[in-house]
Amino acid sequence: MQDRIIVALDSPDAGSALAMAERLRGRARWVKVGMTLFYAEGPDIVGSLREMGFDVFVDLKLHDIPHQVRGAAFALGSLGAGMLTVHASGGADMMEAAVEGAREGAVAAGVAPPAVIAVTVLTSMDADTLASVGVVDSPADQVVGLAALARTAGVDGVVCSPREAAAMRALLGERALVVTPGVRPKWAGSDDQARVETPAAALAAGASHLVIGRPITGADDPAAAFERIVQEG
Ligand code: C5P
């Protein structure tokens, strides 16, 4: 269980992110660096966390022409990222470029290649926001369609809400990574997450990894909160 929790380090600067990582060192295997921290501190933050012994999920949700995405994925692959994200809506060629770029970057640097996982529909988007950008399908249909496209492009899995995890597991098979944010133990508040599931429910639905931020990073004792989630899972 402890290897399946990815702690979201959503602090805006390296000092506080590394201080939080220090408190979780030796317990958590995975930490997530999102675009706020990455763009503020640059690629060095990934190396610093790797040197502390963490596997690093670099969640930059790449979305550009395939040539640019190949280059970005090469750079992230060469940093030794363990996972990276791309937007499935960038298309199959773009996702293939990400997979190839990430692998080539890792080979060039002599590190293990990262898993490339696809973001389907942002959970901040509902049917109205999808319609406003020209998507007439329901969010659920759009998620399935984009996940099927991602599979053809050779990605390793998807990021999705726990409520979509069972459908993603059925569609993508047992070896796919199904990474779910929106996870809350019963004893934690839901913060701004509108629809949450417990860690046990997300795993039962087929999630391979759980992204959990504030219930751990906002706790008085983050290491104890992490352990409590592990014990309950
Ligand atoms: O603090 P909390 O557990 O809500 O953090 C969840 C993490 O997962 C944050 O980094 C957030 O940006 C990310 N995320 C999310 N919902 C998505 C995709 C990513 O909450 N659909």
Side-chain angles (χ1 to χ4, degrees):
M1 175 70 178
Q2 75 194 57
D3 289 351
R4 299 172 72 180
I5 297 173
I6 302 172
V7 182
L9 297 177
D10 285 327
S11 32
D13 62 89
S16 50
L18 294 175
M20 178 56 61
E22 187 59 45
R23 299 181 76 167
L24 296 166
R25 191 179 198 164
R27 295 176 197 268
R29 170 177 170 187
W30 284 96
V31 291
K32 179 169 91 77
V33 173
M35 59 171 83
T36 300
L37 180 59
F38 189 89
Y39 292 141
E41 297 291 351
D44 287 355
I45 188 69
V46 178
S48 299
L49 291 163
R50 292 226 319 133
E51 280 167 22
M52 292 174 76
F54 292 101
D55 286 350
V56 186
F57 173 17
V58 183
D59 184 20
L60 300 182
K61 302 186 175 68
L62 305 178
H63 190 176
D64 203 330
I65 59 171
H67 182 256
Q68 278 290 335
V69 167
R70 178 187 297 272
F74 184 100
L76 295 176
S78 68
L79 291 178
M83 282 188 208
L84 60 89
T85 42
V86 295
H87 270 290
S89 54
D93 287 352
M94 191 207 78
M95 288 187 275
E96 280 176 26
V99 171
E100 289 168 8
R103 192 166 44 222
E104 289 163 7
V107 168
V111 295
V116 177
I117 58 177
V119 177
T120 55
V121 177
L122 294 171
T123 48
S124 54
M125 300 189 83
D126 59 13
D128 288 342
T129 37
L130 277 182
S132 74
V133 295
V135 175
V136 293
D137 281 348
S138 70
D141 287 348
Q142 181 72 354
V143 167
V144 169
L146 287 172
L149 184 69
R151 183 181 53 181
T152 69
V155 305
D156 300 289
V158 293
V159 187
C160 65
S161 117
R163 302 193 182 194
E164 296 155 356
M168 294 296 100
R169 176 64 61 208
L171 178 71
L172 300 175
E174 65 184 33
R175 293 182 54 200
L177 297 176
V178 175
V179 180
T180 63
V183 177
R184 286 290 179 273
K186 282 213 166 61
W187 42 267
S190 60
D191 301 303
D192 55 357
Q193 298 278 13
R195 298 186 305 143
V196 299
E197 297 287 350
T198 62
L203 293 173
S208 60
H209 295 79
L210 313 176
V211 176
I212 304 179
R214 288 161 292 179
I216 296 170
T217 57
D220 291 338
D221 185 343
F226 182 90
E227 279 309 320
R228 189 169 172 191
I229 293 170
V230 170
Q231 296 310 325
E232 290 172 1

